[in-house]
Amino acid sequence: MSVTTSSLFNVLFEEVSADLIAYYDNSVLLPSPTLIVNSYNLEGAVGNKMRIPVTNAWGLAATGIGEGTDISLTPGTNPDFAPTAVDLAVNKRGAFSYVNMEALEDGGVETVRNSVVTRLSRMLAQSTDEAGFKVMLNNTETAPANASDLDGTTGDNIELVNTITGNQDICPVFSPEAMGYAVKRSAELKSFEDVSFDRMEMVSTLRNGFAQIDKGFIKAVAGNTTVGATAQKATLGNFGEAVAKLRDVNAPTDASGFYYAAISPAVELQLVDQLTHIANGGTVGSLSALGDRVLIDALVGQASGIRFLRSNNIVKNIAA
């Protein structure tokens, strides 16, 4: 007995639904609890916003207190425990794809399944990461118009530690406690069989969001947006300055004492070239031990107190 159109579509729907969340989790970067420890699951809860309490700063304890002295009035104590709060709202993200019956008949369910689940999951992952990296810079899901907006003082704009000319990629350097993340709806799939066109319409959606917990725990480094650029480049010294500024405000590190930085492929090459000079005629035989590891790992790895992460979803190609 032949397999009907509806049967093929049903099989496709079941298989894509089964794999969608796993593929999404393997494609998305920022929701990782390693990068954002303040992560919350709001599925089943009422409302589309949550409030995160933030403890206020405190000073040193008073010393040399005399017997019978009121400690609360002693200079140096900070009796004001007045936590503030950060509001985190979730936004809906969606991906869509047509699947024609001929694609199923000619390519087979397995081939089409792989293509569709990869397409939908990566679209959602890219949308999520782009939103998160924008929020890192100014606490909105809108990229700054110019790099100069990142002055560290105006509104929720973070501090850009270096200044270059021309279009640039903005690479955030951050503490794992700098951001908050919440998910209201995990990636899910809906479908509709459109008999007029003999095809299936597949929609995948999720609801999630980000917020700055402490903008002082995030710095940024600018690098030339052009791959292979010879000027206006980001340097390890720039990233080292960002780390120093984070340490200066006691920004928490991960358990191994590292911060994280997301860098574009263009900035990755700038840093790799600084370590290995591979873009200027260096050879594998002349590389340092660190340089060897850079090439073997295909990324900068760890340097200057930072774990570097490659991402095409940071804010890129904005004007100075």
Side-chain angles (χ1 to χ4, degrees):
M1 183 176 66
S2 63
V3 179
T4 65
T5 300
S6 295
S7 296
L8 283 175
F9 282 154
N10 288 340
V11 171
L12 178 65
F13 176 82
E14 292 171 0
E15 295 197 3
V16 172
S17 295
D19 291 338
L20 183 63
I21 292 179
Y23 272 64
Y24 167 78
D25 287 342
N26 286 333
S27 301
V28 74
L29 179 64
L30 280 184
S32 166
T34 300
L35 304 181
I36 301 179
V37 299
N38 304 295
S39 296
Y40 306 91
N41 190 325
L42 305 182
E43 293 182 84
V46 176
N48 66 345
K49 183 183 294 185
M50 66 173 297
R51 176 157 289 183
I52 306 170
V54 180
T55 304
N56 60 321
W58 63 90
L60 296 174
T63 59
I65 302 174
E67 182 178 346
T69 301
D70 187 343
I71 297 175
S72 68
L73 299 178
T74 302
T77 59
N78 182 10
D80 180 23
F81 178 68
T84 56
V86 170
D87 289 333
L88 192 164
V90 298
N91 291 301
K92 185 176 180 179
R93 314 187 199 283
F96 179 88
S97 181
Y98 291 120
V99 178
N100 292 323
M101 184 58 193
E102 288 78 10
L104 281 171
E105 291 174 339
D106 298 343
V109 172
E110 186 67 18
T111 298
V112 175
R113 180 200 69 86
N114 290 340
S115 178
V116 171
V117 73
T118 299
R119 179 187 184 90
L120 296 178
S121 62
R122 290 187 178 178
M123 290 171 70
L124 292 177
Q126 182 177 0
S127 176
T128 295
D129 280 340
E130 284 191 356
F133 283 123
K134 289 173 182 175
V135 171
M136 273 193 188
L137 301 188
N138 59 16
N139 210 27
T140 73
E141 291 192 9
T142 302
N146 301 287
S148 59
D149 293 343
L150 302 175
D151 55 12
T153 57
T154 305
D156 292 315
N157 289 309
I158 65 169
E159 178 186 2
L160 186 65
V161 302
N162 65 322
T163 302
I164 64 174
T165 60
N167 285 16
Q168 49 204 266
D169 297 345
I170 306 300
C171 305
V173 184
F174 58 97
S175 160
E177 295 191 26
M179 296 280 290
Y181 170 77
V183 58
K184 177 73 174 180
R185 178 196 302 168
S186 295
E188 66 179 24
L189 184 70
K190 298 181 178 69
S191 68
F192 170 75
E193 184 177 347
D194 189 342
V195 296
S196 297
F197 291 91
D198 193 21
R199 68 188 179 193
M200 190 176 194
E201 299 177 3
M202 308 193 81
V203 177
S204 179
T205 62
L206 57 73
R207 297 177 69 198
N208 58 17
F210 299 87
Q212 291 177 352
I213 300 297
D214 190 330
K215 75 172 187 177
F217 292 174
I218 312 169
K219 304 298 177 184
V221 173
N224 197 315
T225 194
T226 303
V227 174
T230 58
Q232 305 298 320
K233 300 191 293 185
T235 68
L236 278 177
N238 298 143
F239 285 95
E241 181 179 352
V243 167
K245 290 190 172 189
L246 291 177
R247 296 197 192 282
D248 188 53
V249 295
N250 295 315
T253 63
D254 67 10
S256 299
F258 286 93
Y259 297 112
Y260 291 90
I263 59 176
S264 65
V267 172
E268 179 185 0
L269 178 59
Q270 292 162 31
L271 297 182
V272 171
D273 181 44
Q274 186 179 351
L275 292 171
T276 67
H277 305 292
I278 198 68
N280 295 320
T283 63
V284 173
S286 67
L287 299 182
S288 65
L290 178 59
D292 282 328
R293 194 182 70 180
V294 168
L295 294 183
I296 291 172
D297 293 345
L299 48 81
V300 178
Q302 300 172 358
S304 302
I306 299 172
R307 297 187 195 275
F308 288 90
L309 309 166
R310 182 193 305 112
S311 176
N312 266 321
N313 296 321
I314 65 172
V315 174
K316 298 167 59 178
N317 197 28
I318 68 170

